[in-house]
Amino acid sequence: MKKLLSVFFIFNFAFCASRADFSTSARSAFLLDPVSGAGIVNKAGDTLMPPSSMLKLMTLAIAFDAIKDGRLKMEDQLPVSANADHKNRIWAMASKICLTRGQTLSVNDAIMGLIVMSGGDAGVVLAEHLTGSESAMAELMTRRARDIGMSQSTFGNVSGLSHPDNLMTSRELAILALYLIETHPDFYPLFATRVFEFGGYEDDWCREWGRLKTRSYNRLLFMMPGAEGMKTGHTSEGGYGMVATATRGGRRLIAVINGLSAKNHNALAVEAKRLLEHGFNNTSTRVFYQPGDIIVEIPMWYGRSKVVPVTVNRTFAVTLSKGQDTSGLRILARYKYPAVAPVRPGDELGEIIAQLDGQEIARAPLVAKEKVGKVVFIGRIIQNLKIILGTRD
């Protein structure tokens, strides 16, 4: 049977300000609190749209995964093919490092070129090395997106240039940003890089062109204290977009703007800053449980232990508007009673639920913290007899 246990009855905490609605002319906007998982702002957040160069975050995720797995090293030198050559007409008006066929490009420079200069040509170099072709890389990116939890996103290339298969939602761009933050913390600080000077030009025209292209397109890094990244995008089809992250007072938020009609990247940054500040100024997040905290001990049936402690596999928190009445906030644990052995760490045994005035606002699985083995046959007989006789403690 199911048992409902209130493990934290009332959260007596009052915020001091009221929340204002956020309005934007962008076609889509999504603001995520990564600790609670709350979507603070959601304007068409689940609508598929061209992501433009924000798509390069997925290219970078694949590259970072390869480095983490040992298949790629930052110092590796990769060959530049005709597909990535600056004379290839697709790069005439596109963001690029400005590479020359036959030269080599270090993985480090490819990554920095993607982050700071939005170099789609660097993405092609990485794609051809890792998968053999840009199309194969795009297929891998789509498959990997499903693993990360991005159920709708599809990819047709690694550069973000117009392609019918380049489609992402603002929510899934935020999910991708969170994946990069949590899975690749060593690489995440690179997204705050303001200036990158590529020293490997082998063409005089590129050398002169690159001299003026050292400053990040992410103007938010220059105008908002605490800004940490991550990627801008712009195409005539998709408009201006940005995945922006910032930290204030130890709290991080992830903002996504897409489909904005703007004059330039400065105007885009102003809109992203406005969205982030809306979240910081009007909401607050309260953490209830961290992974490893024992939330409740569930009685065991046929177990070598009488109970199994359960916890959460990621931080359990709620995000509320400042000034919101929280007298009706309850945190509940719901689980099957009793649990049946054997149980392994991480096995889902129930769920934890946050309710405000009877309405659910957050939910997460409860998982076993420890292993509980199954008693031998004679032990199960003894336990059954205790249950029949009503003497089981």
Side-chain angles (χ1 to χ4, degrees):
M1 64 177 176
K2 292 278 188 178
K3 183 171 182 179
L4 186 64
L5 174 68
S6 178
V7 295
F8 194 94
F9 292 94
I10 298 177
F11 171 34
N12 293 310
F13 188 86
F15 294 106
C16 59
S18 61
R19 177 184 175 186
D21 291 333
F22 182 80
S23 177
T24 178
S25 62
R27 288 172 54 200
S28 178
F30 192 81
L31 182 63
L32 174 70
D33 185 300
V35 173
S36 66
I40 300 169
V41 171
N42 184 357
K43 178 182 179 181
D46 296 305
T47 300
L48 286 167
M49 296 173 58
S52 305
S53 286
M54 293 182 289
L55 169 153
K56 291 167 185 167
L57 289 176
M58 195 69 209
T59 308
L60 286 162
I62 297 293
F64 292 160
D65 288 344
I67 295 171
K68 187 175 182 178
D69 294 343
R71 292 178 286 119
L72 198 63
K73 295 183 175 61
M74 291 291 275
E75 62 272 18
D76 286 349
Q77 296 290 324
L78 311 182
V80 175
S81 73
N83 295 321
D85 188 284
H86 72 279
K87 294 177 183 177
N88 186 327
R89 60 185 179 84
I90 69 169
W91 305 116
M93 302 299 293
S95 300
K96 55 185 173 290
I97 295 180
C98 203
L99 302 172
T100 303
R101 179 182 182 178
Q103 75 173 104
T104 59
L105 178 71
S106 73
V107 172
N108 179 81
D109 285 350
I111 287 171
M112 297 309 300
L114 275 166
I115 292 173
V116 180
M117 304 170 73
S118 197
D121 50 356
V124 171
V125 172
L126 286 167
E128 291 180 341
H129 176 76
L130 289 171
T131 63
S133 69
E134 185 175 8
S135 60
M137 180 71 150
E139 292 175 3
L140 173 60
M141 289 161 64
T142 301
R143 294 196 304 272
R144 191 74 185 95
R146 302 297 177 267
D147 297 334
I148 294 172
M150 302 157 62
S151 62
Q152 297 190 74
S153 297
T154 58
F155 305 90
N157 58 40
V158 301
S159 64
L161 294 174
S162 295
H163 189 289
D165 290 337
N166 283 345
L167 293 169
M168 300 181 74
T169 70
S170 290
R171 183 193 298 272
E172 292 193 356
L173 279 163
I175 291 171
L176 176 56
L178 181 57
Y179 172 80
L180 287 164
I181 292 168
E182 293 187 339
T183 308
H184 299 292
D186 293 340
F187 292 114
Y188 175 62
L190 298 178
F191 289 101
T193 305
R194 297 182 181 185
V195 175
F196 170 65
E197 296 183 5
F198 177 58
Y201 293 115
E202 295 194 1
D203 181 276
D204 289 340
W205 186 90
C206 280
R207 193 173 292 109
E208 181 60 24
W209 181 90
R211 186 176 64 82
L212 304 174
K213 300 291 182 180
T214 62
R215 196 165 177 254
S216 174
Y217 285 103
N218 186 349
R219 303 297 194 251
L220 188 70
L221 297 172
F222 300 90
M223 68 173 61
M224 182 179 184
E228 300 173 334
M230 298 181 68
K231 190 73 192 71
T232 63
H234 175 243
T235 58
S236 57
E237 178 189 15
Y240 279 91
M242 176 187 285
V243 178
T245 56
T247 299
R248 179 180 295 176
R251 182 189 184 198
R252 176 181 288 130
L253 294 178
I254 300 172
V256 181
I257 293 281
N258 201 9
L260 179 69
S261 295
K263 292 182 179 180
N264 50 39
H265 282 89
N266 287 332
L268 170 64
V270 168
E271 193 70 356
K273 181 174 182 282
R274 220 170 51 82
L275 178 55
L276 287 162
E277 288 184 336
H278 169 81
F280 287 128
N281 294 337
N282 295 292
T283 67
S284 183
T285 293
R286 171 65 185 262
V287 174
F288 288 97
Y289 295 105
Q290 298 281 8
D293 292 346
I294 296 177
I295 297 171
V296 66
E297 293 184 329
I298 302 177
M300 290 293 303
W301 200 349
Y302 301 143
R304 292 182 180 274
S305 172
K306 292 182 179 179
V307 297
V308 56
V310 294
T311 185
V312 285
N313 52 21
R314 63 176 300 130
T315 302
F316 185 74
V318 296
T319 298
L320 299 168
S321 302
K322 292 182 178 180
Q324 189 169 1
D325 180 10
T326 58
S327 59
L329 181 62
R330 294 198 309 162
I331 307 298
L332 309 170
R334 180 180 287 128
Y335 53 87
K336 189 174 181 179
Y337 176 92
V340 180
V343 169
R344 297 167 299 178
D347 284 353
E348 289 191 19
L349 299 178
E351 55 193 358
I352 185 167
I353 303 165
Q355 293 180 347
L356 182 62
D357 299 327
Q359 298 296 313
E360 182 180 314
I361 59 173
R363 178 189 295 260
L366 287 174
V367 299
K369 184 181 180 182
E370 300 172 359
K371 176 182 177 180
V372 177
K374 194 173 185 178
V375 295
V376 295
F377 179 71
I378 188 64
R380 296 197 294 274
I381 293 176
I382 293 172
Q383 286 192 14
N384 287 335
L385 287 173
K386 286 184 177 181
I387 293 171
I388 294 171
L389 298 173
T391 59
R392 189 176 188 270
D393 32 306

